[in-house]
Amino acid sequence: MEKFAKLKELIAGVEADADKFYNSGNGAAGTRVRKAMQDLKTLAQDIRTEVTDKKNTAK
């Protein structure tokens, strides 16, 4: 559950940069959004692996 909380924090943290990029055309904010999306992808994969392991162990 700790990783899921981190995922939510990361999404909330990137929201301002996404707004700056899409609404103001700020290129640097776009770079930060891309980095955050890569971090989200990695974290999501970690969560998927953890859930699968836990599910398979429960059987």
Side-chain angles (χ1 to χ4, degrees):
M1 209 52 200
E2 183 180 318
K3 287 183 183 179
F4 191 76
K6 271 185 168 178
L7 186 79
K8 289 178 12 180
E9 286 176 28
L10 190 55
I11 290 172
V14 76
E15 188 174 2
D17 283 327
D19 182 56
K20 288 177 188 175
F21 176 71
Y22 286 110
N23 295 325
S24 301
N26 184 327
T31 301
R32 291 189 296 272
V33 170
R34 286 175 41 102
K35 183 190 180 311
M37 291 300 110
Q38 186 63 43
D39 293 344
L40 280 169
K41 178 182 172 184
T42 302
L43 189 53
Q45 185 60 48
D46 290 347
I47 292 170
R48 284 178 46 111
T49 303
E50 188 176 280
V51 168
T52 300
D53 290 345
K54 189 171 181 104
K55 185 182 79 165
N56 290 338
T57 303
K59 290 183 178 182

